Amino acid sequence: MGFPDESDASSVRAICARPGGGRVITMGFPGLDTDPRGRAWLNPERLEATLDVAVTAGLRLLLILAQADELPEGAVAYVREASRARRVRALALPIQDYSVPGASFLRAWRRLAPLRQRIFADGQAVGVCCHHGAGRSGVVAAMHLIEAGVEPAAAVSALRAQFAETVENKLQYQWLERYPELLASA
């Protein structure tokens, strides 16, 4: 059995250019792995590979969308520390699995708008991770693109071109179709 190459070790799913500058990165939770018995654990090599790929792509802010009870104990703190060591700010903004952003997420999202805009203006990247890097990560990555003027269907298509599982259900897709209306009323 050989060693996995970098693409196998990393859980980065998509690195998508954002109109107006910067990039959006989707990923599975950095380092999350499963042992032979099906138990989740943090694999340090996978964590390093994921963060290294993302930082090379310009990662400056990592939004953690997974809920703490989905992850091994201490996982969020561990990823925050590993991110901080790379000069990346990591913030937990949980969204229920298979769901869409709620009111508290959207309040925090609006408060973070100036930071996100500075990162994009500097040509850097905002990363999003959930459990697998498909549903919630895809929704939030698409939100970034929609805010930059991309139509919702085109935003999802751009992300799916790199990771076909992006935005994993009808609820998420329909919510993104309505997101421009939410922006207009905010």
Side-chain angles (χ1 to χ4, degrees), residues 42-55:
L42 282 187
N43 177 330
E45 290 83 22
R46 186 165 194 174
L47 182 140
E48 297 293 322
T50 300
L51 290 180
D52 288 348
V53 168
V55 167

Side-chain angles (χ1 to χ4, degrees), residues 11-43:
S11 66
V12 169
R13 308 296 187 214
I15 300 172
C16 194
R18 183 187 164 277
R23 287 165 300 292
V24 179
I25 303 170
T26 63
M27 63 188 86
F29 191 84
L32 189 62
D33 213 337
T34 307
D35 71 15
R37 292 184 178 188
R39 291 181 297 215
W41 67 289
L42 282 187
N43 177 330

Side-chain angles (χ1 to χ4, degrees), residues 151-163:
E151 291 296 319
V156 173
S157 291
L159 292 160
R160 283 182 176 167
Q162 294 183 51
F163 186 57

Side-chain angles (χ1 to χ4, degrees), residues 51-170:
L51 290 180
D52 288 348
V53 168
V55 167
T56 298
L59 181 67
R60 293 297 166 261
L61 173 64
L62 176 61
L63 302 177
I64 302 169
L65 309 175
Q67 297 175 295
D69 63 359
E70 297 175 61
L71 303 166
E73 188 173 331
V76 171
Y78 189 70
V79 167
R80 278 186 172 149
E81 185 58 36
S83 297
R84 188 176 8 261
R86 290 169 170 78
R87 295 192 170 112
V88 171
R89 185 172 177 187
L91 301 172
L93 294 176
I95 299 172
Q96 185 176 359
D97 202 6
Y98 299 104
S99 192
V100 296
S104 62
F105 176 94
L106 291 172
R107 281 190 299 275
W109 179 256
R110 287 195 256 324
R111 284 193 307 270
L112 289 171
L115 173 61
R116 293 183 292 113
Q117 293 305 318
R118 276 194 309 275
I119 290 168
F120 292 137
D122 290 342
Q124 300 299 314
V126 174
V128 291
C129 69
C130 53
H131 195 269
H132 183 61
R136 296 166 286 181
S137 292
V139 167
V140 175
M143 289 169 65
H144 285 290
L145 299 175
I146 293 165
E147 288 181 3
V150 178
E151 291 296 319
V156 173
S157 291
L159 292 160
R160 283 182 176 167
Q162 294 183 51
F163 186 57
E165 298 173 43
T166 300
V167 183
E168 60 194 352
N169 63 48
K170 191 173 183 176

